[in-house]
């Protein structure tokens, strides 16, 4: 219940900022089973699908724009003392399918508050497929833990047990994305 309330509070706070890379927040509804968050419609879908739907190849200019927009969203969070802790392609949505659509950062279910002077965050959380391998060792504990032995070379296991809130990811279509990204532009007519 506390985690759910924190997600609602953080989502509402960020939605009220009117920041161009945060979806607007319109309220919540509770049907007894689920708590629903009403957010701005992001009709462009998730980053992987948005990229695959584009007519033009994925360019360095587009990559730079998307990285900049993602960093602007993260800065908005950090300016308010919020750490997202689960940034991944599926949590980057677009307001529309158009090429100039703005990126929006969503899903604050693992977000927490942290400000300068607080103890460092050490809880292992996020989506395992998008975590740095060095952050996870063979015991599933954070790699910076003083009680953690070094894992065998090249062997990493997803975290298990209580206290870890790692999420399985939906399969990202890497092969389709890379094929699209490496596609040569059509010859001039």
């Amino acid at each position: 219940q506390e985690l759910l309330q924190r997600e609602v509070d953080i989502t509402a706070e960020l939605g009220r900022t009117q920041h161009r890379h945060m979806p607007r927040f319109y309220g919540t509804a509770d049907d007894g089973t689920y708590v629903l968050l009403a957010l701005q419609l992001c009709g462009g879908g998730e980053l992987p699908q948005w990229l695959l739907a584009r007519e033009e190849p994925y360019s360095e200019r587009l990559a730079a724009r998307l990285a900049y927009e993602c960093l602007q969203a993260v800065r908005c969070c950090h300016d308010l003392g919020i750490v997202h802790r689960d940034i991944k392609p599926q949590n980057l949505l677009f307001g529309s399918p158009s090429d100039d659509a703005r990126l929006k950062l969503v899903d604050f279910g693992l977000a927490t508050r942290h400000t300068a002077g607080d103890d460092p965050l050490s809880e292992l959380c996020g989506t395992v497929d998008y975590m740095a391998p060095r952050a996870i060792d063979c015991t599933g504990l954070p790699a910076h833990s003083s009680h953690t032995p070094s894992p065998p070379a090249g062997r990493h296991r997803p975290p298990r047990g209580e206290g870890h809130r790692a999420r399985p990811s939906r399969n990202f279509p890497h092969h389709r994305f890379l094929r699209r990204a490496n596609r040569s532009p059509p010859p001039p007519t």
Side-chain angles (χ1 to χ4, degrees):
Q1 192 67 12
E2 178 186 335
L3 293 174
L4 178 61
Q5 189 58 52
R6 182 169 54 194
E7 178 178 8
V8 170
D9 292 345
I10 287 173
T11 303
E13 181 178 353
L14 289 166
R16 285 191 301 268
T17 65
Q18 302 288 311
H19 191 278
R20 65 186 170 273
H21 300 300
M22 294 294 162
R24 304 292 179 264
F25 177 81
Y26 298 112
T28 61
D30 187 346
D31 69 359
T33 304
Y34 299 101
V35 174
L36 309 170
L37 281 71
L39 302 174
Q40 173 185 3
L41 176 65
C42 293
E46 299 172 349
L47 174 63
Q49 288 71 38
W50 185 82
L51 287 171
L52 290 169
R54 290 173 42 84
E55 292 296 319
E56 298 296 315
Y58 185 62
S59 67
E60 287 181 24
R61 181 179 299 278
L62 177 59
R65 187 194 106 200
L66 297 178
Y68 179 78
E69 290 181 7
C70 183
L71 291 171
Q72 290 296 308
V74 171
R75 180 179 181 186
C76 175
C77 293
H78 290 189
D79 286 349
L80 296 171
I82 296 167
V83 182
H84 189 282
R85 302 198 303 179
D86 195 27
I87 296 174
K88 59 185 177 183
Q90 291 80 8
N91 288 341
L92 301 171
L93 303 182
F94 289 87
S96 75
S98 70
D99 286 350
D100 61 347
R102 289 224 167 110
L103 175 144
K104 308 281 185 182
L105 180 61
V106 298
D107 190 356
F108 293 90
L110 295 179
T112 192
R113 297 191 180 278
H114 188 272
T115 56
D118 290 350
D119 290 335
L121 296 174
S122 60
E123 180 183 19
L124 183 63
C125 64
T127 302
V128 174
D129 289 357
Y130 297 99
M131 289 180 178
R134 69 175 179 255
I136 306 169
D137 73 4
C138 62
T139 65
L141 296 174
H144 61 272
S145 170
S146 60
H147 306 336
T148 304
S150 296
R155 188 168 155 209
H156 298 283
R157 187 180 77 181
R160 301 196 190 289
E162 294 299 317
H164 298 298
R165 291 188 291 151
R167 297 178 175 179
S169 76
R170 289 178 270 152
N171 292 328
F172 179 74
H174 295 291
H175 61 287
R176 289 177 52 215
F177 173 74
L178 292 174
R179 182 172 46 232
R180 178 88 162 191
N182 294 325
R183 185 177 69 187
S184 300
T189 56

